[in-house]
Amino acid sequence: TQLIKMDDLDRLLKQPELKYQVVKKTWRDGREWVAVLQPEQVDELVKVSAALQLQFSLVVNRMHQQWPSISSIARKLETESEFPRVSSNLYLTPPNSTAFDSHWDFMDVIIIQVVGKKYWNVAKNPTVYLSTEELKYKPSVEEANQP
């Protein structure tokens, strides 16, 4: 069984309590930024589809609370890893587009690419090992691209 299919997008977005964002990496003054459309700009599936055509990405946090198959795999990962909590997010990014600026996460991250192709850049020599939430940081482009 699949975790989620593109055909499920319509049903997902019609869930009344669903909170999502539509984002896009942009450049301003030589720096990376994340542009976020406000909820009133993307409150319908048609508008989300239009935003995707403009190279925006759909972000749904806490998918384990929204979708049964994703909830099931999150619970299995909790059991196997013995972590107290496993959460999951969905990122739907059009081809040749990027959702986020260069950054690092303070938590462990497992990425599962279920459709299409994406180039993932992971730092070989991170500036900080085992960072904490207090150290959440947006590195410069130079720091992110260090060999």
Side-chain angles (χ1 to χ4, degrees):
T1 64
Q2 289 186 297
L3 293 175
I4 192 166
K5 301 179 295 236
M6 289 296 293
D7 293 343
D8 296 327
L9 185 60
D10 185 41
R11 202 168 93 224
L12 174 69
L13 290 173
K14 287 182 179 175
Q15 293 184 20
E17 300 299 315
L18 182 71
K19 292 186 173 122
Y20 62 89
Q21 291 183 305
V22 177
V23 302
K24 180 180 184 178
K25 182 176 90 169
T26 61
W27 290 88
R28 186 174 68 209
D29 300 327
R31 295 195 57 185
E32 294 178 300
W33 295 89
V34 175
V36 180
L37 295 180
Q38 297 305 311
E40 58 272 9
Q41 295 173 294
V42 289
D43 60 357
E44 300 167 13
L45 179 63
V46 173
K47 292 180 182 178
V48 170
S49 296
L52 291 170
Q53 290 177 6
L54 294 172
Q55 301 300 300
F56 279 83
S57 297
L58 172 67
V59 178
V60 181
N61 293 322
R62 294 183 287 286
M63 274 295 291
H64 57 284
Q65 296 173 351
Q66 305 293 333
W67 210 254
S69 59
I70 294 175
S71 177
S72 175
I73 194 89
R75 300 298 72 85
K76 288 176 185 174
L77 284 170
E78 281 177 352
T79 301
E80 291 296 319
S81 67
E82 297 182 3
F83 286 124
R85 184 175 69 100
V86 171
S87 62
S88 56
N89 301 332
L90 175 138
Y91 304 96
L92 176 60
T93 301
N96 305 312
S97 181
T98 304
F100 295 104
D101 50 351
S102 299
H103 68 282
W104 64 58
D105 293 305
F106 62 89
M107 72 291 239
D108 292 324
V109 176
I110 299 171
I111 298 169
I112 302 172
Q113 178 92 29
V114 294
V115 176
K117 296 178 184 179
K118 183 63 79 177
Y119 175 77
W120 295 91
N121 185 5
V122 178
K124 293 178 184 170
N125 298 309
T127 307
V128 175
Y129 286 90
L130 300 176
S131 65
T132 63
E133 188 167 4
E134 296 79 37
L135 293 175
K136 191 170 183 178
Y137 173 73
K138 178 180 157 181
S140 68
V141 174
E142 294 79 25
E143 289 174 315
N145 291 322
Q146 286 182 356

